[in-house]
Amino acid sequence: MDLAPAGASNRLRVEVAGVISPRCTVGQSEGSASFGQLLDTASGGTVARSLKLGFTFDCNSPFRAVMTSQNGGLLTDASPASGFRNRITYDAALALPNGRSTSSCGSEQMQREAGERAGCVFRFNGRDGASGAASVKLSMAPDPSPVLAGQYRDRLVLRLSPILGGERD
């Protein structure tokens, strides 16, 4: 004899769900780096140099990387003078774990003008995200064009962000 009310059961059935939002995080240990002495004493121009900037990241979905340059290259505070340059351009290449890398992008392309989008946008599509140690390699070619003396600076910003459905660059 069954004493349970009509429609009763001896089982509990519940559907359980959750959501993981897409996200990217970036970590770095160094806030600045230097190419060192850039002057080619023979020509008065600049020598070739490279610099590797390491960082860690974690993106749990397909993502894009956007690199921007504040000055479009290393820039000095000195005013331009006839026959001399006051900006030194460089190339930047992003390298990610598992052999994912990008072609290089020139610092002038990375300069963000008011109201414009950055020129160097790299997309990493696929079903999975990525995480681990990565780097940006900055390289400058020798240039015999004379440069002004002074401290040359730029601010390079790398932003990683998830690619959400329907987005365009």
Side-chain angles (χ1 to χ4, degrees), residues 21-154:
S21 298
R23 68 153 179 78
C24 288
T25 60
V26 177
Q28 70 184 70
S29 59
E30 301 290 325
S32 64
S34 176
F35 281 106
Q37 178 58 255
L38 300 173
L39 180 67
D40 179 345
T41 55
S43 71
T46 54
V47 294
R49 288 276 190 261
S50 66
L51 186 61
K52 188 174 179 179
L53 310 170
F55 64 95
T56 58
F57 80 106
D58 180 45
C59 290
N60 68 353
S61 68
F63 62 98
R64 92 173 39 83
V66 178
M67 280 194 281
T68 58
S69 164
Q70 181 177 7
N71 301 321
L74 298 172
L75 185 67
T76 186
D77 292 335
S79 299
S82 180
F84 291 87
R85 58 192 168 105
N86 66 342
R87 180 187 325 255
I88 303 168
T89 59
Y90 57 84
D91 289 329
L94 178 61
L96 300 175
N98 302 326
R100 291 181 170 187
S101 63
T102 63
S103 56
S104 63
C105 182
S107 57
E108 291 171 313
Q109 290 175 279
M110 290 187 281
Q111 189 170 14
R112 179 177 235 154
E113 301 293 334
E116 289 184 9
R117 293 189 142 175
C120 293
V121 178
F122 307 106
R123 292 175 72 99
F124 299 93
N125 295 317
R127 296 182 53 129
D128 302 322
S131 67
S135 64
V136 174
K137 183 178 180 183
L138 306 179
S139 304
M140 61 180 61
D143 187 336
S145 306
V147 289
L148 292 170
Q151 291 289 321
Y152 283 75
R153 292 184 172 85
D154 194 14

Side-chain angles (χ1 to χ4, degrees), residues 48 140 142 160 168:
M140 61 180 61
L160 303 179
R168 292 180 14 186

